[in-house]
Amino acid sequence: MVKVRVYSKETCPYCVMAKNLLAQKGVNNIEEIRIDLLPEERDKMIEITGRMTVPQIFIGETHVGGFDDLAKLNRSGDLDKMLGK
C-alpha cells in the first residue's frame, strides 16, 4: 500500500474524519504530522500545498487536499485506485 501523510491538529474534527475514512480503507500506517505541536511543519505544509487549513492529505506524492476532497475521491471510487486496491 502507498504511503499516506496527513497534516493535522488535535482539535480538528475533519482530521479525525479523514483518518477514520482512511482506516476504513485499510490504511493503518498514516504518517500524521501535527502542526499544532510542530509549527515549523505548518509553514512547510503551506509552502507545499498553498493551503492553510487542515487536514492536508497526501497519498504517495500526490496532494489530495482536505477531507472533502478525500471523501469525493472515495465516492467516485478513485480513492481505492490511489491506495492501490
Side-chain angles (χ1 to χ4, degrees), residues 2 25 59 62 64 69-85:
V2 297
K25 292 293 180 177
I59 298 176
T62 303
V64 171
D69 303 303
L70 184 70
K72 183 178 178 181
L73 284 171
N74 186 47
R75 287 190 302 273
S76 71
D78 290 333
L79 180 56
D80 286 335
K81 294 174 193 169
M82 291 183 78
L83 292 172
K85 292 185 161 205

Side-chain angles (χ1 to χ4, degrees), residues 33-76:
I33 301 169
R34 292 267 310 272
I35 66 168
D36 53 340
L37 300 176
L38 303 165
E40 66 278 4
E41 291 294 334
R42 179 183 181 275
D43 295 337
K44 183 178 175 184
M45 178 195 79
I46 293 168
E47 182 180 319
I48 295 169
T49 67
R51 296 182 179 186
M52 298 177 69
T53 58
V54 289
Q56 291 303 316
I57 304 157
F58 288 80
I59 298 176
E61 296 302 315
T62 303
H63 177 232
V64 171
F67 172 73
D68 290 339
D69 303 303
L70 184 70
K72 183 178 178 181
L73 284 171
N74 186 47
R75 287 190 302 273
S76 71

